[in-house]
Amino acid sequence: MDRVNLNLYLENLYIMEENERLRRKAQLLNQENKALLAKLKNDHAVMSSPSSAVPTSTSTQQRPATASTAGAGAATLKPPGKQPK
């Protein structure tokens, strides 16, 4: 019974850490989404203004890699293996 409880405890720890990792990744993606949306709105406003005959240099720049696109969370815990009873 103690071994079963220990296995469940370890599995629960793994799930909580994975949940935290996914929460942080979701926050990064949300921040990136907001930044891209603001840039899109800004570019749209610049392009639709009457004095914008030539696009600005910011509309042709590539966006830098963020932590979410550079492999964030690559080091995660492995779930405990099934132990024979």
Side-chain angles (χ1 to χ4, degrees):
M1 187 62 142
D2 288 339
R3 188 175 61 191
V4 173
N5 283 340
L6 177 62
N7 286 341
L8 290 173
Y9 173 76
L10 292 174
E11 188 175 347
N12 190 40
L13 281 179
Y14 169 76
I15 290 170
M16 289 189 310
E17 288 178 5
E18 182 72 5
N19 186 40
E20 183 63 23
R21 184 189 69 79
L22 290 171
R23 186 189 64 76
R24 286 190 304 265
K25 187 173 183 178
Q27 284 180 331
L28 288 172
L29 290 171
N30 188 34
Q31 289 173 353
E32 183 180 6
N33 187 34
K34 286 179 181 179
L36 290 171
L37 185 59
K39 183 182 182 313
L40 179 65
K41 286 180 180 180
N42 185 36
D43 288 352
H44 180 69
V46 168
M47 295 300 257
S48 64
S49 68
S51 64
S52 65
V54 177
T56 62
S57 63
T58 59
S59 64
T60 60
Q61 291 178 349
Q62 292 182 349
R63 64 183 176 93
T66 62
S68 63
T69 59
T76 59
L77 291 178
K78 302 290 184 210
K82 297 284 183 181
Q83 304 240 345
K85 294 184 178 186

